[in-house]
Amino acid sequence: MAYRFRYTGDYYVSPTGDDSNSGTSPDAPFATIQAAMDAKGNTTTATTIVIGTGIYYEAVSTINTSNSNTNLTIQGDGVVIINGEGISDDTTNCALGNGGSTLRGTIINDITITNWHNAILDPNGGGNVYFAYFNRCKFINIFDVKRSDGNVIYYNDCIFVKSNFYYGSSNNGARYIRCKFFKSVINANDPYGSTDQRTTNSPYNAGYFGAEMSDCLFANPFDNEEYIAINFHKWNHNQTHGIIFTNNVFSAECTINSTKNSYRAGTRWGADITERNDVTHPFTQSAQEFVDELNTYGTWLAWDGEPGPLPQSITLGSKGKYLSKVINWNGSELTGSSNLENTFGTPYTINFNNDSYYEAAEHPPTRVLAYEHPAYGYGTINTGSNPFHTTGGATWENIIETGSGFTLSSSAIPSGTIESAVIDQGISRTIQDVQFNWSADSSTNSSAISYYTGSQGGPGTLYTYQMRYGDSSDLSSNEYKIFPLNETPYLDTNESGSGDINFITGSQNSVKGRYLQFKLTLRTDWNG
Amino acid sequence: MAIYTLPNSASWDDSLDFADQSEEAQEFWNNLIGSITPTSIYEPTSNPNLDRLTSQTWLDTSYSGSYNYQVIITREYQNSPTHQRAFAIRTTHTLLNILDK
């Protein structure tokens, strides 16, 4: 079946494609990411490669070996996983950046990289990074090696699960912004740079670049053990270079350690750390409680407020204790599916609503996740009951209901509208993410995922996700607005929703309200 | 096992992995790759418009000292050239050679 792409680009990739295709049309995608990379070749013309939902077992080279900006965007379209299982080794390959290739200036969006020794740049392959941007990516079970060649990488809104990464490498620092680290270790190997240049340098002008970690969350939901969340292996450059380390949240089992000389009087970054000693320790629950909560609700509820008044200083000194204990990478964890099961708690499969580890954990069939930025609040609202179930007050139109939830009949092309009951969050909250877990049988499941159209030979199910909200329980006069499913709801510049599932917002206005109501419209083809 | 001084004055210990070499040494090889057009070898696939790369060789003879510097990167694919997933790479191999002139 052809995969229905949401994004447009210069090249398309799908597991159901073929490398003998042109790759330039959504109807004729390549089967491998590498084919698209090679088709792009060494050109520095702006190029977008769109990768469709699926698991890709391949080590990718960006082929561009020049010292110029690749001008390349790699866009995941759906749940896209580059899996090193059966491929990854510790010295000669990685997920992205094999064989001397560079990721300089490459933008990688919405990709999951899992089961690799090395996520970015193979250890012996040469090549460099220099200002690569990972946005909304996930790194699961990665043991990333040190590469000392300008790892100026931006990680924005990324999730790291059981992975080791580097905070800074030699003369350039990585930037982790709004990232979540779940039993993952950041190894800060002598990061230094210039906070001044951090804001003034041209994005593609590599130079001393200050490392940054801001608004990140560290937690260990997998076991009850303490672990070292950040390791400052070496941090002793006598440079007037700064790092930013602010507004990060650490759960109880996560600690920070410095293993070598960490402070030299007069260095600016040392002063920065002193001034920015705002690491908080807000969780009041034990690690086990944390895990229990995760298993029950799929995420945690404990904290939904301002950061606690418990500043925890980072121990820095010339005789910093050697307490480093990185997560030992175990090669056996890369074999079979057991690792993924261990990581996610349940066997990991590609499905409609499974794009992060906690979503795959056990949780009620339908829930609403609402949380704010870690620096301002964090928590989850579980609806407690399925708001799309008729007994919960939902209204139905032309939907065949079976079982206890929302089930599509195998004998009918689903269409119609489902309107949920009004959901009371208790207080007004910023809506960060709204997730629905759909259930569909085998004959319609694929169509629900791929938006297969009737004209392409199969039944089609295109859904439109609408939400209305407010601080009054009576939402009847509020306008339903259209948002992308499983993405952060934002309002456009007119503060209204428009368009379709591909609705692209024009601003970053957050959606906030106490009461929520959802409406899903299923249609039989892409064009409605 | 030998230790060389690279043209950028960095030390290169050929008994160490690339990742364990000094930052300056790594930069030397990275700059070599980035500044010279390689000789590339391809093989045909089922795609009439896209052959697949099997190896690339960079050779820098520009230095006046005793050595030339060569990088050879080869690709190891998972499947045959006619396979649906012909371009899926299993791994790459990098050889860094310091050659007598």
Side-chain angles (χ1 to χ4, degrees):
Chain A
M1 291 197 308
Y3 178 79
R4 187 76 185 190
F5 290 91
R6 290 195 306 158
Y7 291 91
T8 57
D10 301 287
Y11 297 102
Y12 297 86
V13 183
S14 167
T16 59
D18 194 310
D19 283 350
S20 64
N21 288 337
S22 68
T24 55
S25 161
D27 297 324
F30 291 125
T32 64
I33 302 168
Q34 191 59 52
M37 290 291 182
D38 286 2
K40 172 189 175 294
N42 259 328
T43 178
T44 55
T45 303
T47 302
T48 297
I49 296 173
V50 181
I51 306 174
T53 284
I55 302 178
Y56 298 83
Y57 295 93
E58 57 176 314
V60 179
S61 169
T62 57
I63 201 173
N64 188 321
T65 53
S66 71
N67 281 336
S68 57
N69 174 20
T70 65
N71 228 350
L72 170 65
T73 297
I74 303 171
Q75 177 64 58
D77 190 327
V79 181
V80 176
I81 299 174
I82 303 176
N83 193 342
E85 189 174 335
I87 306 171
S88 177
D89 61 45
D90 62 354
T91 58
T92 65
N93 68 10
C94 65
L96 288 173
N98 286 278
S101 56
T102 178
L103 293 169
R104 185 187 292 248
T106 303
I107 299 170
I108 302 101
N109 297 328
D110 306 303
I111 301 287
T112 294
I113 296 175
T114 186
N115 290 341
W116 289 92
H117 274 271
N118 316 298
I120 304 153
L121 294 182
D122 67 274
N124 293 308
N128 56 53
V129 177
Y130 288 124
F131 294 98
Y133 299 80
F134 286 86
N135 300 312
R136 301 176 304 280
C137 291
K138 299 176 182 68
F139 300 89
I140 302 167
N141 200 35
I142 303 292
F143 184 83
D144 213 36
V145 300
K146 172 183 179 293
R147 282 293 304 270
S148 298
D149 39 17
N151 287 322
V152 189
I153 306 177
Y154 291 73
Y155 298 96
N156 298 315
D157 303 293
C158 292
I159 295 175
F160 300 77
V161 180
K162 289 187 173 179
S163 295
N164 292 319
F165 268 70
Y166 278 85
Y167 182 22
S169 178
S170 294
N171 62 346
N172 292 290
R175 298 185 70 192
Y176 297 90
I177 310 297
R178 297 180 306 277
C179 292
K180 302 180 185 72
F181 300 87
F182 299 111
K183 201 173 184 181
S184 292
V185 178
I186 298 301
N187 294 284
N189 191 69
D190 200 7
Y192 68 93
S194 166
T195 51
D196 296 333
Q197 292 188 45
R198 182 182 66 84
T199 55
T200 58
N201 256 5
S202 166
Y204 303 115
N205 179 19
Y208 289 159
F209 194 90
E212 178 170 359
M213 179 169 289
S214 297
D215 303 312
C216 292
L217 173 73
F218 289 80
N220 174 14
F222 300 105
D223 53 48
N224 204 24
E225 296 180 357
E226 292 186 2
Y227 85 106
I228 310 302
I230 299 179
N231 254 323
F232 292 112
H233 289 294
K234 181 184 178 185
W235 211 20
N236 61 356
H237 260 280
N238 189 15
Q239 304 277 347
T240 55
H241 297 145
I243 70 168
I244 301 294
F245 191 84
T246 183
N247 286 338
N248 301 296
V249 175
F250 294 82
S251 65
E253 63 280 1
C254 302
T255 57
I256 306 171
N257 281 283
S258 172
T259 60
K260 291 189 178 181
N261 294 348
S262 302
Y263 181 80
R264 287 190 179 186
T267 60
R268 183 186 298 177
W269 56 261
D272 279 351
I273 287 295
T274 301
E275 294 167 359
R276 294 175 177 273
N277 185 15
D278 52 6
V279 179
T280 56
H281 194 171
F283 289 96
T284 57
Q285 62 187 160
S286 70
Q288 187 57 52
E289 290 170 336
F290 187 92
V291 172
D292 291 343
E293 197 166 86
L294 180 83
N295 290 334
T296 302
Y297 300 106
T299 184
W300 59 95
L301 313 174
W303 187 53
D304 189 15
E306 296 297 320
L310 297 170
Q312 175 181 308
S313 64
I314 304 172
T315 302
L316 301 175
S318 60
K319 297 181 179 179
K321 293 180 180 178
Y322 186 82
L323 296 175
S324 65
K325 180 185 177 185
V326 299
I327 297 173
N328 292 321
W329 183 84
N330 182 347
S332 64
E333 292 187 355
L334 291 183
T335 60
S337 60
S338 59
N339 175 62
L340 288 173
E341 292 179 17
N342 291 337
T343 300
F344 290 102
T346 56
Y348 186 70
T349 56
I350 299 291
N351 62 44
F352 186 69
N353 180 26
N354 188 6
D355 67 349
S356 67
Y357 90 99
Y358 50 79
E359 293 162 15
E362 294 179 8
H363 56 72
T366 301
R367 65 198 175 92
V368 175
L369 188 79
Y371 57 85
E372 295 184 6
H373 194 279
Y376 303 104
Y378 212 90
T380 300
I381 292 299
N382 170 39
T383 61
S385 63
N386 184 344
F388 285 105
H389 194 262
T390 51
T391 56
T395 57
W396 302 75
E397 176 191 341
N398 195 28
I399 292 294
I400 299 172
E401 178 195 9
T402 62
S404 59
F406 172 62
T407 303
L408 306 179
S409 168
S410 62
S411 60
I413 299 173
S415 64
T417 298
I418 312 167
E419 188 175 63
S420 80
V422 174
I423 299 165
D424 183 0
Q425 301 190 90
I427 61 173
S428 184
R429 299 172 187 272
T430 298
I431 311 304
Q432 174 73 21
D433 190 8
V434 180
Q435 301 169 12
F436 302 96
N437 196 2
W438 289 40
S439 172
D441 67 20
S442 59
S443 65
T444 53
N445 189 35
S446 58
S447 63
I449 293 173
S450 63
Y451 325 121
Y452 213 58
T453 65
S455 63
Q456 292 176 314
T461 303
L462 171 65
Y463 56 89
T464 297
Y465 153 49
Q466 292 173 280
M467 179 175 68
R468 61 184 178 183
Y469 54 94
D471 290 326
S472 168
S473 60
D474 182 5
L475 298 176
S476 59
S477 61
N478 292 35
E479 176 192 1
Y480 270 115
K481 297 175 180 177
I482 303 174
F483 297 96
L485 194 61
N486 281 339
E487 294 181 19
T488 302
Y490 288 126
L491 297 177
D492 65 15
T493 51
N494 298 317
E495 296 199 342
S496 64
S498 62
D500 212 326
I501 192 65
N502 290 321
F503 172 63
I504 303 299
T505 58
S507 69
Q508 296 290 301
N509 297 327
S510 297
V511 173
K512 189 175 184 179
R514 171 174 174 173
Y515 297 94
L516 313 173
Q517 189 170 22
F518 304 101
K519 183 162 69 174
L520 294 178
T521 301
L522 302 180
R523 296 180 298 185
T524 54
D525 62 46
W526 180 253
N527 297 314
Chain B
M1 184 180 71
I3 297 176
Y4 298 89
T5 300
L6 299 173
N8 67 349
S9 301
S11 179
W12 178 261
D13 185 340
D14 67 3
S15 66
L16 299 177
D17 290 337
F18 183 87
D20 295 326
Q21 304 283 351
S22 69
E23 174 189 345
E24 292 76 15
Q26 294 185 28
E27 285 181 351
F28 170 78
W29 293 104
N30 290 337
N31 289 335
L32 189 158
I33 292 174
S35 58
I36 296 176
T37 301
T39 300
S40 301
I41 299 175
Y42 296 87
E43 62 183 354
T45 68
S46 297
N47 190 325
N49 301 314
L50 195 61
D51 294 337
R52 71 180 189 182
L53 180 67
T54 58
S55 73
Q56 289 181 296
T57 300
W58 293 258
L59 178 63
D60 190 344
T61 61
S62 64
Y63 296 103
S64 58
S66 304
Y67 302 110
N68 293 325
Y69 301 89
Q70 181 187 53
V71 179
I72 302 174
I73 295 177
T74 56
R75 286 186 182 182
E76 180 182 328
Y77 289 100
Q78 300 178 32
N79 304 302
S80 71
T82 56
H83 194 277
Q84 177 187 359
R85 298 178 64 248
F87 286 79
I89 295 175
R90 179 180 306 282
T91 193
T92 59
H93 302 280
T94 302
L95 287 176
L96 307 176
N97 297 321
I98 299 177
L99 307 172
D100 291 329
K101 279 188 178 289

